[in-house]
Amino acid sequence: MNTVEELATKGKDAVIANLLITLLTGSINDAKRVGIETPTNILEAIKQRIIMLDADQNRFIYDTHSKKRIAIQGLAGTGKTELLLHKLYELYMSDENSKVVFTCFNKVLANEMREKRVPDFFDFMRADKQIEWKKRLWVMRSWGSQLDANSGVYSYICHAYGFDFSPYRSGISFGGLCRDLAEKLKGLETFSPCFDYVLIDEGQDFDEDFFRLCELVSAKQVIIASDIFQNIFSKESQVMTHPDFTLNKVYRTDPKNFMFAQLLGFGVEERPVINWLDDATWKACGYDFETDEDGAVYKFTRSPLRRFDNLKDVKSEPLLIYRKDDMNEKVLEVIQKIIESNPRVTPDDIGIVFLGTSNKTYNMIDRLSIQIQNKFTWETQKAYEVKSKSPGSLFISNRNNIKGLEFPFLICVADSPISLNLGMRNSMYMALTRSFITSYLITSSVNEELMSKYDNLYKQIMDTGVATVRKPNSEDIMDASSKLLQQKDLTQRQVVDKILKQKGVLDREKQNTLARVVNAIEKDRVDPDSIKRIIESNLESLQ
């Protein structure tokens, strides 16, 4: 009888050996797609991919952790959501009385997890217990709806303890609502937690107030997974600065693609640079680097990972950048190229993300949807309309509905100027790192000046896997106040809350008073500089 180690050296038996190991450890990504025959192209390899959990991931899933709050921090593609799936399954199956909730901010991701990924994962793991939805297991977004208690964590808590639900209104801070609800709970003479475990994905979308509320209503543990890159811009809780588990091995996307996406997000070829990390943090992000004698020039690399053990001698292009003013035409050309290179490709294998948010963007998407239907006879799905990801349709989204999703091929359309806006840069990073095989970045002449600054860096990374970058002077790195100015997607109240947190003002009554003063002077205008001056001029009198 051959041992697993012996089989692993014998051609097809090596594939069987890997299957045996992954079955024993419970770390196969999707058993139904696994095959024995060697795939003939990279798309087939993707659909048969085997993911082996590394030591840090196994330690998180199977070790016992006594802390009330567990924080995982990792880069895009390090397997955070996959780990939460494993943990959710383990917690649900190990205690037949446990009440477990999985939550995130994004509605599309919540729907995808509830309708497909969680049921599929339980099926794959051969679960011997039926999922008791809305009794022992909830998969729902964070806020929810007043009409459906099981639509969100906030709505469920309001319903469970008899408090009024506060729907979305302009200027309302979700963190503030969570803080108010937590105070109401503390004011009760007695109350019992309504959950045992709360698992939070995309934790960087929340501040400390939501985490504290979840801890109040959880009898045993709150587990939070966050993206280290997005946390760099705004560290608002201990989850961001002191994680219990740090993941820096990127399994989803090619290291070359990841490196360019992150360095473009940081703006390393621009002045001011949006962000520059210290040496320890670069290493924590999974980078190796060398510097010149003066420490002025860095040469970054990322270790290649064996993402597809069952694929040999087939090369892929991790990232392709195109410049064309008729961007819809280029999208169609890219889809045609994907089809020609991958005969088994389906609409589900491709995602398209537009970075713009104007009416022009949505008009482009409407036209593209019709063009794809006419040219390829494929159905399309506009995620911002249906808030879900349906099988058999090509996924098209604005930049607000892509978190947590993944595709073999991702087309990112920069249909508006790529500014220093943090939302724009984060969205580019998220979009470009959603692909298993290839990401396509399509820009127009409006971004020619910016993208030309990255031509050499892009070519060097794709050709050699090395990124040579000049370290910026301290005065050329955007400070926290400047970054706040660039967060143009924030509401006035969100800007007020961020400034007050920076200044250590935690008293809710003072926060509300200052917010009313700002609104009385600024009306609905969002000018962070002006808001900061108003707060500073009125803060002393309140104290």
Side-chain angles (χ1 to χ4, degrees):
M1 183 79 176
N2 289 326
T3 65
V4 169
E5 289 81 1
E6 290 170 337
L7 286 171
T9 65
K10 298 181 179 180
K12 185 184 294 185
D13 286 339
V15 178
I16 298 173
N18 271 333
L19 289 173
L20 290 173
I21 293 169
T22 53
L23 285 168
L24 289 170
T25 60
S27 62
I28 292 180
N29 170 282
D30 188 343
K32 288 181 288 188
R33 294 182 175 183
V34 171
I36 300 301
E37 297 301 327
T38 301
T40 58
N41 62 57
I42 197 165
L43 180 59
E44 290 184 16
I46 284 289
K47 293 185 175 184
Q48 296 182 13
R49 71 188 186 278
I50 300 173
I51 294 180
M52 296 286 290
L53 300 177
D54 62 32
D56 288 335
Q57 292 170 326
N58 273 306
R59 185 165 59 88
F60 163 72
I61 294 171
Y62 298 112
D63 285 3
T64 301
H65 312 289
S66 59
K67 291 176 63 177
K68 182 66 178 286
R69 181 192 296 190
I70 299 294
I72 313 168
Q73 190 178 85
L75 303 163
T78 52
K80 299 183 297 298
T81 303
E82 192 77 18
L83 285 185
L84 289 183
L85 276 172
H86 278 272
K87 193 66 177 180
L88 181 149
Y89 176 83
E90 189 264 334
L91 293 172
Y92 184 86
M93 300 300 292
S94 63
D95 180 357
E96 63 181 16
N97 296 313
S98 63
K99 293 183 177 182
V100 186
V101 58
F102 176 101
T103 189
C104 57
F105 191 84
N106 187 272
K107 187 185 293 186
V108 176
L109 177 58
N111 290 340
E112 168 80 356
M113 296 298 294
R114 181 179 62 254
E115 296 168 8
K116 179 171 173 56
R117 293 183 67 177
V118 170
D120 284 357
F121 189 82
F122 272 63
D123 287 345
F124 154 64
M125 295 296 284
R126 300 289 190 266
D128 58 3
K129 299 177 184 177
Q130 289 281 4
I131 297 177
E132 297 183 65
W133 292 108
K134 302 178 184 179
K135 182 179 179 181
R136 286 194 53 218
L137 180 60
W138 291 259
V139 178
M140 53 190 177
R141 56 196 171 103
S142 53
W143 200 324
S145 166
Q146 184 172 7
L147 300 177
D148 184 358
N150 293 290
S151 61
V153 172
Y154 176 82
S155 59
Y156 186 93
I157 296 170
C158 289
H159 183 267
Y161 298 102
F163 296 118
D164 292 335
F165 175 89
S166 294
Y168 173 79
R169 296 192 306 275
S170 179
I172 291 291
S173 162
F174 181 60
L177 292 179
C178 292
R179 186 164 57 249
D180 288 344
L181 186 53
E183 291 302 316
K184 291 176 182 177
L185 287 170
K186 292 175 183 177
L188 297 175
E189 289 187 11
T190 59
F191 79 92
S192 300
C194 55
F195 302 118
D196 291 300
Y197 300 95
V198 176
L199 282 64
I200 303 171
D201 201 6
E202 302 294 347
Q204 71 280 349
D205 290 341
F206 304 101
D207 60 19
E208 188 68 22
D209 296 306
F210 180 64
F211 302 148
R212 288 174 179 165
L213 176 63
C214 290
E215 284 184 290
L216 274 178
V217 299
S218 302
K220 297 180 180 179
Q221 203 164 61
V222 174
I223 301 171
I224 307 165
S226 302
D227 186 329
I228 191 172
F229 171 59
Q230 294 179 72
N231 297 344
I232 287 166
F233 291 135
S234 180
K235 297 174 181 174
E236 298 189 2
S237 77
Q238 292 298 306
V239 169
M240 310 305 184
T241 53
H242 297 92
D244 300 286
F245 296 87
T246 299
L247 308 176
N248 58 29
K249 296 178 182 177
V250 178
Y251 294 99
R252 178 169 56 220
T253 192
D254 188 284
K256 295 177 180 179
N257 178 16
F258 181 89
M259 190 184 308
F260 183 82
Q262 188 167 53
L263 295 179
L264 176 60
F266 280 161
V268 297
E269 295 295 304
E270 303 160 64
R271 295 296 183 269
V273 170
I274 297 173
N275 205 47
W276 183 267
L277 310 180
D278 59 38
D279 288 358
T281 308
W282 281 120
K283 291 178 180 177
C285 285
Y287 286 93
D288 297 315
F289 58 85
E290 299 175 355
T291 65
D292 62 3
E293 292 183 359
D294 299 326
V297 176
Y298 280 61
K299 288 189 175 182
F300 293 107
T301 57
R302 295 188 67 86
S303 299
L305 296 175
R306 294 170 62 199
R307 299 190 300 144
F308 314 115
D309 290 343
N310 54 344
L311 184 67
K312 296 179 180 179
D313 302 324
V314 177
K315 296 182 179 180
S316 65
E317 298 173 291
L319 174 63
L320 292 170
I321 299 177
Y322 300 107
R323 294 169 166 96
K324 188 164 185 174
D325 284 338
D326 189 342
M327 288 181 282
N328 275 6
E329 182 180 336
K330 193 63 191 180
V331 171
L332 297 173
E333 291 176 11
V334 168
I335 295 174
Q336 183 65 46
K337 178 182 177 181
I338 292 172
I339 293 173
E340 291 172 355
S341 302
N342 304 274
R344 290 180 57 195
V345 72
T346 67
D348 309 78
D349 296 325
I350 302 173
I352 303 174
V353 179
F354 281 73
L355 297 180
T357 56
S358 67
N359 288 334
K360 180 182 176 182
T361 296
Y362 296 109
N363 290 335
M364 285 179 64
I365 294 175
D366 288 340
R367 290 196 303 273
L368 179 63
S369 180
I370 296 171
Q371 290 171 315
I372 290 173
Q373 170 71 36
N374 291 339
K375 186 175 178 65
F376 306 108
T377 65
W378 282 357
E379 295 296 325
T380 61
Q381 173 188 22
K382 302 169 190 173
Y384 51 86
E385 292 180 350
V386 297
K387 299 295 182 183
S388 64
K389 181 175 177 285
S390 300
S393 297
L394 192 151
F395 181 92
I396 306 178
S397 177
N398 58 13
R399 70 195 203 194
N400 298 323
N401 297 285
I402 191 64
K403 288 183 179 180
L405 304 180
E406 52 193 23
F407 305 85
F409 305 99
L410 193 290
I411 303 171
C412 179
V413 183
D415 58 301
S416 59
I418 301 173
S419 65
L420 294 176
N421 174 267
L422 302 189
M424 169 73 78
R425 296 300 176 112
N426 273 337
S427 296
M428 290 185 67
Y429 161 75
M430 281 191 298
L432 293 176
T433 56
R434 296 298 102 187
S435 69
F436 290 115
I437 301 176
T438 304
S439 290
Y440 303 85
L441 176 58
I442 299 175
T443 71
S444 66
S445 56
V446 72
N447 288 308
E448 178 63 33
E449 181 179 355
L450 171 71
M451 294 308 299
S452 64
K453 296 178 181 179
Y454 288 89
D455 283 342
N456 291 334
L457 184 64
Y458 167 76
K459 187 175 188 306
Q460 185 190 23
I461 291 174
M462 296 303 135
D463 289 347
T464 68
V466 178
T468 302
V469 180
R470 180 166 291 279
K471 180 180 179 179
N473 298 322
S474 57
E475 60 270 19
D476 288 330
I477 302 173
M478 194 181 292
D479 60 25
S481 297
S482 298
K483 289 176 185 177
L484 185 62
L485 287 173
Q486 295 299 332
Q487 290 182 282
K488 296 174 184 176
D489 294 335
L490 297 178
T491 64
Q492 184 186 94
R493 182 56 193 257
Q494 287 172 326
V495 173
V496 169
D497 286 346
K498 284 180 175 291
I499 293 173
L500 291 175
K501 282 189 175 184
Q502 287 181 348
K503 294 184 174 297
V505 180
L506 302 179
D507 182 87
R508 186 61 176 165
E509 186 175 343
K510 290 181 180 178
Q511 290 178 339
N512 289 336
T513 299
L514 288 165
R516 287 194 294 270
V517 171
V518 169
N519 188 254
I521 297 172
E522 292 290 298
K523 302 303 180 185
D524 292 324
R525 199 165 68 99
V526 182
D527 182 343
D529 267 345
S530 179
I531 292 172
K532 187 175 181 181
R533 286 194 296 270
I534 294 169
I535 289 174
E536 289 173 344
S537 62
N538 287 275
L539 187 57
E540 186 175 347
S541 61
L542 283 179
Q543 294 176 334

